[in-house]
Amino acid sequence: MKDTEKPNYYAVLTADVRYNPNLSNFCKLIFAEITALSNKEGYCWATNGWFAKQYEVSEMTVIRAINRLTQHGYIQREIRGVNTNNSKRILRIVATKLIIPHNKIVSILPNKNDTHNTMKISN
């Protein structure tokens, strides 16, 4: 991706990241950016330098944010081609827990009184 190019994908900021008091706002922003960049390829390929240019911060600030997200288990780092001159880091979002409130009853049966229901229930 060119340095001047900005992705036009939506970002996701999950509640567990959003409300984590141990993460700075910049960490949360980087997490959201990683989710946006992951929409295209399934992983984030952006370098620390790319993040630094986009948000006008130092690469060290980006490194600290990514390390923090990794420590908390929100992202995983993977290095491809370690023994080559063309190594590449990718970042992946770690799946978060899906919590269904115990007071919510989810019905999988069709409602026979629903006028939009096209299913027929036979006895």
Side-chain angles (χ1 to χ4, degrees), residues 61-123:
T61 300
V62 174
I63 290 167
R64 281 191 297 268
I66 290 173
N67 284 342
R68 196 87 163 140
L69 290 166
T70 303
Q71 289 168 353
H72 282 277
Y74 296 124
I75 62 172
Q76 288 180 333
R77 276 184 286 218
E78 180 183 327
I79 307 294
R80 291 189 177 169
V82 175
N83 296 326
T84 67
N85 290 338
N86 195 16
S87 65
K88 177 179 166 181
R89 176 197 69 188
I90 62 172
L91 302 171
R92 294 187 189 278
I93 300 297
V94 176
T96 58
K97 298 174 188 172
L98 175 63
I99 300 172
I100 299 174
H102 69 279
N103 60 351
K104 298 281 184 186
I105 299 173
V106 180
S107 175
I108 58 171
L109 296 175
N111 182 352
K112 63 182 177 182
N113 296 326
D114 189 354
T115 58
H116 300 289
N117 185 358
T118 59
M119 294 178 66
K120 293 183 180 179
I121 300 175
S122 59
N123 290 339

Side-chain angles (χ1 to χ4, degrees), residues 42-53:
Y43 59 87
C44 175
W45 37 260
T47 64
N48 295 336
W50 186 88
F51 284 121
K53 279 189 177 183

Side-chain angles (χ1 to χ4, degrees), residues 1-93:
M1 178 177 259
K2 297 175 186 170
D3 288 339
T4 58
E5 192 176 333
K6 294 189 191 252
N8 192 19
Y9 313 120
Y10 65 89
V12 176
L13 186 57
T14 59
D16 52 343
V17 173
R18 189 170 60 241
Y19 297 120
N20 187 330
N22 299 312
L23 295 177
S24 69
N25 289 336
F26 186 69
C27 286
K28 295 171 186 181
L29 180 62
I30 289 294
F31 178 84
E33 186 69 40
I34 291 169
T35 67
L37 295 173
S38 296
N39 283 331
K40 185 175 182 183
E41 303 289 331
Y43 59 87
C44 175
W45 37 260
T47 64
N48 295 336
W50 186 88
F51 284 121
K53 279 189 177 183
Q54 295 299 315
Y55 291 104
E56 299 178 358
V57 297
S58 71
E59 284 191 42
M60 209 47 225
T61 300
V62 174
I63 290 167
R64 281 191 297 268
I66 290 173
N67 284 342
R68 196 87 163 140
L69 290 166
T70 303
Q71 289 168 353
H72 282 277
Y74 296 124
I75 62 172
Q76 288 180 333
R77 276 184 286 218
E78 180 183 327
I79 307 294
R80 291 189 177 169
V82 175
N83 296 326
T84 67
N85 290 338
N86 195 16
S87 65
K88 177 179 166 181
R89 176 197 69 188
I90 62 172
L91 302 171
R92 294 187 189 278
I93 300 297

